[in-house]
Structure formats: structure tokens, C-alpha cells
């Protein structure tokens, strides 16, 4: 196959490229034209099955060139929280208007490529007390701009007759995605420690996205992409992973009482169709310990002091 991957130079996009090439496909990568992205492209200069277009997804004049002779589209290009809330107009233009335009352009292709759309577990809204596992029988609901964008595109695809697959993805981070702005960190620390959270490794998400391009039975389905039982944890364990990797303690009492829009999911059908679950949450914990080893060694002399002052410092965020 030839697969168009938008947002191809983000963390997930690069994993999709690697997975698609490993499966024997050709890739057309698309992302913003920036100095950083031009440097990243050099990694693939010796790969004849990779071709590149750089530009703005909002420039609809590019869409016909992007879609020429492709069999499937993995549409990763989007703006994520907190930018969806702080840059609402730009986020609307990218996540809704440009994505709808791309979908409309696909309808004019012959043959029509399959559109694989990574949605999010967050479309189920905030967790409620006693509620853990979500299934497709649970109705989604809008809770912010980000979830509204995702649901708007889900509805656009469901109203179309062209081939599509929607993947509602769980919490997909790895050791490379450690950065968080102060507002996001504060929100995560204010979340109740017993909030259910289903992790899924980004490599597994990339595998699911690539498999969704080619599995016939996945067409016109919404699938829940979580890591499975070994990745169904609670918010406190997720949050303390980075702290523990540096031999620091995040007390249970340092967490807040707010609800958050993460859940456990019934990924039985998705796994049966896409066969993507290859990593556990323990794999992520191991990766974090490896990634943060230099920081752990650096702070070792003052670790006892840091553990004493950490709760008060976090409370001031």
C-alpha cells in the first residue's frame, strides 16, 4: 500500500512511519515546513519508499497532491490540549475545518482511500465515581474544545459513505513525551488518585493505525484502543512513574479530588481485529527509569531533602 501520514514528524507520526515501512508499505509524509522538520526528514533520505510534502494542512490547495495515488490516510495532524483551549481559533481551523476539507477531497479520489482517524478516550467525558470500564455502548459527550473537535470529525465520517476507521485512543505517552506546562501539570495533580486510566504505548497505537489501514473487517468501525488489562491502572500510579524513576515520592495525599476524562476501555474487539497490544504499563515504567537515570544520579545526594519538600512545592503549583 501507499499510506499518507499527516503529522508525520510528531512522536506518533514517526512511529507510524517506522511501522508502515516495517510492514512493507510506501509512505507519503506530510507535516509543517519548519527547520526542525527539515532536519528530521534527513533520517529518511536513504529510504526510497518515503516521499515528503511539507506545508500547512489548512492550505486546501495541497490536498489533491497529498492524496494522489494513496490507498489509505492516517490523519495525525492536529492541535492538542492545552493549545485547543488557549488557541481556540487556530485549533478549530486545524482540527475541524482542515480535516473536513481533507475528508471532502478524499471523496473525489478514485479509488477512494481509507481514512483512519485517531480520536480519543476523552470523548467519553469525565470519570464518574464507581465508573471504570467504557464500551461503545457508552454515549460520548463534549467536555472541552478538544473533545468537541474529535466528536465533530467522528460524526462527519459516520455521515459519509467513504471508507473510514475511527480509533478512540487511551493515554498514549512514552519516555520521550515528558514535557508538561504548568497548567497541565497542576490539572493532573489535582485529579483524584483513584481515577481509572488506561495506558497504551504509542508504538502499539502506531501498529493499530497501520493495521486499521488494511484490515477489511475494521472498515466503518469505531474501535477502542487501550493497552488491555496490564495497562489498566489508576491515576496515582501513572503520575508517580516519573517521580519514582528519579527515586522521588509522590504521596497519595498530594493528589487532588477532581474528576478527569480518562477511563478503562473494553478493547476486546479492537484487539481481535487489529492485534496491536504488545506493551504493558510496566514496560513504560522501565522506559522511564532508563530515560531518567541521569537525573536520578544527579539528584541522589539531595534526594532525602527533595522528598521532604516536594509535597509543599507541588501544593504551590
Amino acid at each position: 500500500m501507499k499510506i499518507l501520514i499527516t503529522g508525520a514528524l510528531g512522536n506518533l507520526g514517526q512511529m507510524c512511519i517506522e511501522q508502515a515501512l516495517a510492514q512493507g508499505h510506501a509512505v507519503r509524509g506530510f507535516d509543517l515546513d519548519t527547520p526542525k522538520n527539515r532536519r528530521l526528514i534527513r533520517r529518511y533520505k536513504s529510504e526510497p519508499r518515503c516521499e515528503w510534502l511539507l506545508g500547512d494542512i489548512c492550505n486546501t490547495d495541497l490536498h489533491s497532491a497529498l492524496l494522489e495515488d494513496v490507498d489509505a490516510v492516517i490523519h495525525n495532524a492536529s492541535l492538542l490540549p492545552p493549545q485547543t483551549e488557549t488557541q481556540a481559533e487556530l485549533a478549530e481551523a486545524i482540527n475541524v475545518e482542515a480535516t473536513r476539507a481533507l475528508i471532502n477531497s478524499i471523496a473525489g479520489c478514485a479509488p477512494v482511500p481509507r481514512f483512519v482517524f485517531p480520536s480519543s478516550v476523552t470523548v467519553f467525558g469525565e470519570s464518574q465515581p464507581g465508573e471504570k470500564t467504557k464500551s461503545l455502548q457508552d454515549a460520548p459527550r463534549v467536555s472541552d474544545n478538544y473533545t468537541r473537535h474529535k466528536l465533530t470529525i467522528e460524526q462527519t465520517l459516520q455521515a459519509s459513505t467513504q471508507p473510514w476507521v475511527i480509533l478512540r485512543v487511551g493515554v498514549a505517552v512514552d519516555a520521550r513525551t515528558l514535557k508538561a506546562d504548568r497548567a497541565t501539570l497542576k490539572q493532573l495533580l489535582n485529579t483524584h488518585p483513584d481515577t481509572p486510566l488506561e495506558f497504551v504505548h504509542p508504538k502499539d497505537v502506531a501498529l493499530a493505525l497501520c493495521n486499521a489501514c488494511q484490515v477489511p473487517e475494521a472498515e466503518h468501525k469505531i474501535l477502542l484502543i487501550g493497552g488491555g488489562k496490564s495497562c489498566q491502572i489508576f491515576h496515582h500510579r501513572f503520575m508517580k512513574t516519573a517521580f519514582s524513576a528519579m527515586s522521588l515520592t509522590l504521596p497519595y495525599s498530594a493528589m487532588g479530588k477532581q474528576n478527569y476524562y480518562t477511563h478503562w476501555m473494553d478493547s476486546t474487539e479492537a484487539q481481535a481485529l487489529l492485534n496491536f497490544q504488545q506493551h504493558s504499563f510496566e514496560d513504560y515504567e522501565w522506559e522511564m527509569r532508563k530515560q531518567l537515570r541521569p537525573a536520578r544520579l544527579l539528584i541522589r545526594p539531595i534526594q532525602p531533602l527533595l522528598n521532604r519538600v516536594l509535597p509543599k512545592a507541588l501544593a504551590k503549583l
Side-chain angles (χ1 to χ4, degrees), residues 56-128:
D56 187 344
I57 194 70
C58 295
N59 182 359
T60 56
D61 291 339
L62 294 173
H63 289 185
S64 59
L66 287 177
L67 296 169
E68 184 179 0
D69 296 327
V70 299
D71 302 294
V73 177
I74 297 175
H75 185 53
N76 289 327
S78 67
L79 214 59
L80 303 173
Q83 286 82 9
T84 48
E85 315 311 308
T86 60
Q87 301 179 53
E89 187 173 338
L90 177 62
E92 181 82 15
I94 295 171
N95 295 358
V96 178
E97 294 170 14
T99 302
R100 275 179 165 168
L102 187 62
I103 292 169
N104 290 336
S105 297
I106 285 174
C109 296
V112 179
R114 180 181 292 189
F115 192 88
V116 179
F117 179 63
S119 185
S120 171
V121 63
T122 61
V123 301
F124 287 117
E126 292 184 347
S127 297
Q128 303 301 315

Side-chain angles (χ1 to χ4, degrees), residues 5 46 56 111 119 136 158 165-166 189 215-216 266 291 306:
I5 301 174
S46 62
D56 187 344
S119 185
L136 291 174
Q158 290 177 81
V165 185
I166 294 168
L189 287 168
V215 173
D266 182 355
Q291 178 79 5
L306 288 176

